[in-house]
């Protein structure tokens, strides 16, 4: 398991998503934020756009569902072409069933936690998952400032995974940049969602490599 960088298409130009995906061709994933203006106060894109994007890029799609009723909608995102589907535990009524449905359709299943949601109540669910997504900003909008208060939760999550001998990825989403990625890697994160830091750079691919290098150095890999 190595460090992985997942540029967020939320920070890209929505009028030319195919070109924006090509601009980060050396990334490990393309992170797709799906928002419904109910679970979070923003509205982005849905199943038709994900399906089109999956046809336009060779990068695997990492779909982050910031929506109500993910139990109903999550399997459809696998069918649309997502290689990883993340649901928020705060919105999910049956997280084990939903995770199993995602996996049964051939994608990685991930569970997301808002900054104030602790990991400990979900310890028994970890074996049903492939990844834990720890939000390091309040979900809903890109370009927010990284919340250092989330670093202890990253460490506690890594400790829980080590305790149970589980090979899950820990993904971080929110305020990830060259100034913050090292702290997250040192705390135990593996996968880093970076939106503004990548797409605001003069050379998005070069920024992906810079972020990967910083994280690998900090994690000792």
């Amino acid at each position: 398991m190595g460090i992985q960088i997942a540029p967020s298409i939320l920070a890209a130009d929505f009028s030319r998503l195919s070109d924006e995906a090509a601009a980060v061709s050396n990334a490990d994933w393309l992170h797709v934020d799906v928002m419904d203006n109910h679970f979070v106060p923003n509205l982005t894109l849905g199943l038709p756009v994900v399906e089109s994007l999956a046809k336009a890029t060779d990068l695997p799609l990492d779909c982050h569902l910031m929506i109500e009723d993910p139990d109903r909608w999550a399997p459809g995102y696998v069918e649309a072409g997502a290689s990883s589907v993340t649901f928020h535990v705060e919105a999910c009524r049956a997280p084990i069933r939903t995770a199993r449905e995602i996996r049964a359709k051939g994608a990685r299943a991930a569970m997301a936690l808002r900054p104030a949601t602790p990991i400990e109540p979900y310890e028994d669910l970890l074996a049903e998952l492939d990844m834990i997504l720890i939000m390091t900003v309040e979900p809903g909008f890109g370009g927010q400032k990284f919340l250092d208060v989330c670093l202890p939760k990253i460490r506690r999550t890594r400790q829980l995974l080590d305790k149970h001998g589980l090979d899950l990825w820990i993904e971080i989403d929110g305020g990830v940049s060259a100034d913050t990625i090292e702290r997250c890697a040192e705390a135990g994160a593996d996968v880093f969602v970076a939106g503004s830091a990548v797409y605001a750079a003069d050379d998005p691919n070069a920024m992906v490599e810079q972020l990967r290098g910083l994280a690998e150095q900090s994690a000792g890999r």
Side-chain angles (χ1 to χ4, degrees):
M1 184 192 307
I3 294 297
Q4 301 174 73
I5 306 298
S8 173
I9 206 75
L10 181 65
D13 182 347
F14 275 26
S15 69
R16 52 188 194 93
L17 289 181
S18 179
D19 292 338
E20 294 286 66
V24 292
S25 58
N26 62 344
D28 301 285
W29 296 85
L30 190 63
H31 190 80
V32 182
D33 289 306
V34 178
M35 307 182 194
D36 64 357
N37 201 32
H38 294 285
F39 180 69
V40 293
N42 196 5
L43 183 66
T44 54
L45 45 81
L47 282 166
V49 176
V50 170
E51 188 173 6
S52 296
L53 192 56
K55 296 174 182 177
T57 180
D58 292 329
L59 288 173
L61 300 185
D62 174 29
C63 284
H64 178 192
L65 307 185
M66 288 173 270
I67 62 175
E68 291 184 351
D69 202 11
D71 309 76
R72 174 186 177 187
W73 296 107
Y77 281 89
V78 185
E79 296 169 1
S83 296
S84 176
V85 177
T86 302
F87 58 85
H88 268 267
V89 71
E90 301 92 350
C92 197
R93 297 175 184 174
I96 293 176
R97 184 181 67 203
T98 299
R100 289 182 177 180
E101 288 181 357
I102 293 169
R103 283 173 141 183
K105 288 184 176 292
R108 299 179 66 87
M111 183 176 73
L113 307 174
R114 287 177 178 266
T117 302
I119 183 63
E120 287 77 9
Y122 307 103
E123 181 175 354
D124 292 340
L125 275 65
L126 295 176
E128 300 287 341
L129 303 167
D130 299 294
M131 183 169 72
I132 296 291
L133 169 55
I134 297 175
M135 293 297 300
T136 44
V137 299
E138 287 295 341
F141 294 93
Q144 298 184 61
K145 185 178 179 180
F146 177 82
L147 296 175
D148 284 277
V149 70
C150 297
L151 287 170
K153 183 162 66 175
I154 300 172
R155 294 190 181 95
R156 294 197 307 272
T157 301
R158 177 56 63 194
Q159 290 167 358
L160 284 178
L161 298 181
D162 291 344
K163 171 185 172 182
H164 294 286
L166 295 172
D167 191 21
L168 274 69
W169 297 341
I170 298 177
E171 184 174 45
I172 304 303
D173 184 1
V176 174
S177 69
D179 296 326
T180 61
I181 195 168
E182 292 174 293
R183 281 172 274 169
C184 296
E186 185 276 330
D190 308 297
V191 186
F192 301 88
V193 177
S196 302
V198 170
Y199 278 108
D202 292 336
D203 185 340
N205 260 332
M207 179 55 68
V208 167
E209 290 304 322
Q210 180 182 349
L211 292 173
R212 183 183 286 115
L214 289 169
E216 287 176 343
Q217 182 177 5
S218 184
R221 301 179 186 176

